[in-house]
Amino acid sequence: MTEIEIGRGKRGRRAYAFDDIAVVPSRRTRDPEEVSIAWQIDAYRFELPFLAAPMDSVVSPESAIRIGRLGGLGVLNLEGLWTRYEDPEPLLAEIAEIDDSRATARLQEIYAAPIREELIGQRIKEVRDAGVVTAAALSPQRTAQFSKAVVDAGVDLFVIRGTTVSAEHVSGSHEPLNLKQFIYELDVPVIVGGCATYTAALHLMRTGAAGVLVGFGGGAAHTTRNVLGIQVPMATAVADVAAARRDYMDESGGRYVHVIADGGFGSSGDLPKAVACGADAVMMGSPLARATDAPGRGFHWGMEAVNPVLPRGKRMNLGTAGTTEEILLGPSHAPDGSMNFSGALRRSMATTGYSELKEFQRVEVTVSPTHHL
């Protein structure tokens, strides 16, 4: 790709966000009812290609069960309120009432409580006993400490999720997590991320991960770009990681690693763009945080917001749009792309003539920034 001269001493590659691109219709159309948006990772098939992000404002054991029964996958945050407190409901209610000027400081205080290992097993069991696929997430820093409790509790999919995850973390003070060895020794499929470049994704795929999360600093509740100056536009990031998947398939003799676009979804129209760039599924936070039955009560925050030293996120008041079912499956009562995400993806595929997600990854796209329209 052509580089742009930023100044005499620096050049940069032009990258694109979902807002900068659009899907192009083809010569064929289909009936939306004949389109499948199902996907499968390892032995687990889902009717909806949606993962709910492991954020306390989005996923509780109750909402994970609800999303699972609707056909998606709720990923429980094992470092959040549900593993620090026996009953976090009063704290969730308090977080929704805190004044903005006090929100970050109070979140830091609430999340200072220690993670209780017995609650990890209890929360996973709650979801598992409901008969849905169970997924839970830890950060790379806590994976070695709590992974045995997670596996012993019977988790189906293990997610290692951080702001950025590399296969080669260098530390002079402690022994870093050896992802390749860890995944090899684990008995469950692992999804790792985030990553945002071809090289980083290729190294993560070589660890044996079943899927990689793509995204860095672009979520609604993130302030990573403001705090660290780091962000990668999502359309380019997904396309780069999809290229790494293609090359890794050749390198490994056909092993397919799923690409999951993580964050940066402002509306339902961003989903077909993510798939068009090469994603197999998407992980959503803010769209599901707007559900009337979400644990955050219309507020949204991530673990980056509670860091005791350098917060890189904040509590957002997103308001509510509809129930979880209405946001995922409809019907929609709004014209802004905030509801019926599955219907929007299905209709986008039908309009361009594709019947399967993997076929839709080949659809033509154009650079069409919304601010130029």
Side-chain angles (χ1 to χ4, degrees):
M1 188 178 293
T2 304
E3 289 187 335
I4 299 170
E5 185 177 284
I6 297 168
R8 288 177 180 263
K10 198 71 174 180
R11 300 179 69 85
R13 185 166 65 113
R14 178 71 170 94
Y16 298 96
F18 290 138
D19 277 349
D20 296 322
I21 66 169
V23 173
V24 178
S26 67
R27 63 181 177 84
R28 182 185 294 116
T29 57
R30 294 183 184 273
D31 292 334
E33 297 77 17
E34 298 176 2
V35 170
S36 170
I37 58 172
W39 77 299
Q40 181 165 334
I41 181 168
D42 203 80
Y44 305 102
R45 176 185 166 89
F46 303 93
E47 294 306 312
L48 304 179
F50 307 140
L51 293 80
M55 306 168 83
D56 286 342
S57 53
V58 178
V59 180
S60 64
E62 182 183 356
S63 66
I65 294 167
R66 185 182 307 118
I67 291 166
R69 288 174 175 167
L70 292 172
L73 178 66
V75 183
L76 191 64
N77 174 21
L78 296 181
E79 298 176 38
L81 299 177
W82 297 95
T83 56
R84 296 174 193 262
Y85 298 93
E86 192 73 44
D87 179 16
E89 287 296 341
L91 292 169
L92 288 164
E94 180 189 346
I95 291 170
E97 299 292 334
I98 307 172
D99 183 81
D100 285 345
S101 62
R102 276 276 302 149
T104 297
R106 182 59 182 139
L107 282 170
Q108 290 172 320
E109 293 170 357
I110 291 172
Y111 281 84
I115 297 169
R116 295 162 55 184
E117 194 165 305
E118 72 275 12
L119 285 178
I120 290 177
Q122 181 180 321
R123 300 311 185 194
I124 291 173
K125 186 177 185 299
E126 287 178 40
V127 181
R128 188 173 182 82
D129 287 352
V132 300
V133 177
T134 307
L138 287 169
S139 66
Q141 293 83 358
R142 296 189 189 269
T143 293
Q145 181 181 359
F146 294 117
S147 60
K148 187 177 186 302
V150 177
V151 175
D152 288 349
V155 76
D156 295 311
L157 290 164
F158 196 151
V159 179
I160 302 175
R161 184 179 188 256
T163 303
T164 184
V165 177
S166 71
E168 187 180 347
H169 178 71
V170 179
S171 174
S173 60
H174 64 276
E175 184 67 26
L177 175 68
N178 185 326
L179 265 180
K180 188 170 186 176
Q181 180 181 343
F182 176 81
I183 292 173
Y184 176 78
E185 294 174 352
L186 215 58
D187 290 331
V188 297
V190 179
I191 298 170
V192 297
C195 65
T197 65
Y198 172 93
T199 302
L202 192 58
H203 281 287
L204 286 179
M205 291 172 186
R206 288 169 177 163
T207 66
V212 293
L213 300 171
V214 185
F216 190 98
H222 283 245
T223 58
T224 305
R225 178 168 182 166
N226 293 338
V227 177
L228 302 183
I230 303 174
Q231 185 181 352
V232 180
M234 281 294 288
T236 296
V238 173
D240 283 349
V241 175
R245 174 184 60 203
R246 178 199 62 212
D247 292 348
Y248 178 69
M249 282 185 69
D250 292 339
E251 172 188 307
S252 62
R255 184 173 181 271
Y256 189 91
V257 179
H258 292 80
V259 173
I260 302 166
D262 181 6
F265 299 103
S267 64
S268 60
D270 292 331
L271 269 67
K273 298 177 187 181
V275 178
C277 288
D280 297 289
V282 300
M283 178 174 274
M284 299 191 299
S286 56
L288 292 169
R290 297 186 66 192
T292 53
D293 47 1
R297 297 159 170 79
F299 287 82
H300 184 44
W301 67 95
M303 292 303 291
E304 297 83 6
V306 306
N307 187 288
V309 179
L310 188 65
R312 301 177 304 282
K314 59 183 177 180
R315 185 202 64 169
M316 303 278 292
N317 184 358
L318 301 178
T320 55
T323 65
T324 298
E325 183 170 1
E326 288 172 331
I327 288 171
L328 290 179
L329 300 176
S332 174
H333 311 297
D336 58 0
S338 61
M339 302 170 72
N340 197 0
F341 276 61
S342 63
L345 177 58
R346 195 184 301 274
R347 186 165 291 274
S348 181
M349 292 171 63
T351 301
T352 53
Y354 293 88
S355 60
E356 303 281 346
L357 286 174
K358 280 189 169 58
E359 294 175 359
F360 189 55
Q361 291 172 349
R362 301 195 297 266
V363 71
E364 183 182 350
V365 298
T366 183
V367 176
S368 177
T370 53
H371 60 271
H372 289 168
L373 300 180

